[in-house]
Amino acid sequence: MNRRQMMKLALPLIALPSLAAAQAADPYAPTEVAIRDDFEVGSIVVVSRDFYLYHVVAPGRAVRYGVAVGRDELVWKGKATIGRKVEWPSWRPTPEMIARNPAAYEKYKDGMPGGPQNPLGARALYLYNDRGQDTAIRIHGTTEPGSIGRAVSNGCLRMRNEAVMSLYDRVPLGTPVYVF
């Protein structure tokens, strides 16, 4: 699938109008919504500009989750697959992260073990490209649930821990992921 086809599929993913009240209370809470039926059941679709991740559960139906995405210059877009899944993952900042902000990341250059204080949160889904290589982009939990609905990360897709735990349990390795 080329970029033009991917962009066409991203326009628009539509939520059911009857959910307006629930969305007003917490627009990023997991919610089942209607979507176009262009995506295969089981796939994950992320619309970065809207801060939503959709897990397609049936033709034309998805569970929508709120996400935090990369800051403007760090938004990752493309097609990938879930190549690895880890509970309570360890974390190591990339060399680019350390170069951008050594005061924040240099102290973690050797990594941080998994656990409640780890920035990847409770679960991580590792995105691999079509050549089977790790993209360094993750769908993961967060220690900062207030960041959901914002462009704040170094490129990864953050979810509330309870949301990423639910998604982790529902998607197998090899799940296609489309990020727009």
Side-chain angles (χ1 to χ4, degrees):
M1 180 176 298
N2 66 36
R3 187 164 178 82
R4 173 175 276 153
Q5 291 168 317
M6 287 179 60
M7 291 306 292
K8 181 181 173 204
L9 290 174
L11 300 174
L13 295 170
I14 302 171
L16 293 172
S18 63
L19 300 174
Q23 292 170 353
D26 182 358
Y28 303 112
T31 307
E32 187 170 325
V33 297
I35 63 167
R36 293 189 1 232
D37 60 4
D38 298 352
F39 299 101
E40 60 267 37
V41 172
S43 64
I44 294 171
V45 180
V46 179
V47 182
S48 297
R49 71 175 183 265
D50 294 336
F51 306 105
Y52 287 118
L53 177 151
Y54 298 83
H55 177 225
V56 182
V57 296
R61 304 294 301 164
V63 175
R64 184 186 69 194
Y65 300 91
V67 293
V69 300
R71 293 187 301 271
D72 287 338
E73 71 278 12
L74 301 173
V75 173
W76 184 87
K77 294 183 179 182
K79 181 180 185 291
T81 59
I82 303 296
R84 184 173 174 222
K85 295 171 43 170
V86 179
E87 295 183 20
W88 296 106
S90 60
W91 171 73
R92 174 174 289 139
T94 65
E96 294 82 11
M97 290 170 66
I98 295 170
R100 278 192 303 272
N101 192 345
Y105 299 119
E106 180 70 30
K107 61 187 169 193
Y108 300 113
K109 70 179 181 194
D110 294 324
M112 176 187 237
Q117 303 307 311
N118 187 297
L120 294 185
R123 304 288 184 273
L125 304 168
Y126 293 62
L127 301 187
Y128 282 52
N129 65 23
D130 60 356
R131 294 180 304 282
Q133 300 165 324
D134 188 350
T135 64
I137 300 298
R138 316 281 182 251
I139 297 170
H140 64 78
T142 184
T143 56
E144 301 175 10
S147 68
I148 303 305
R150 298 174 38 211
V152 295
S153 81
N154 281 287
C156 289
L157 302 158
R158 296 181 189 172
M159 300 176 74
R160 293 177 180 147
N161 279 327
E162 61 274 13
V164 78
M165 291 168 72
S166 174
L167 185 65
Y168 180 97
D169 290 341
R170 297 177 195 294
V171 298
L173 293 176
T175 295
V177 179
Y178 305 92
V179 181
F180 303 98

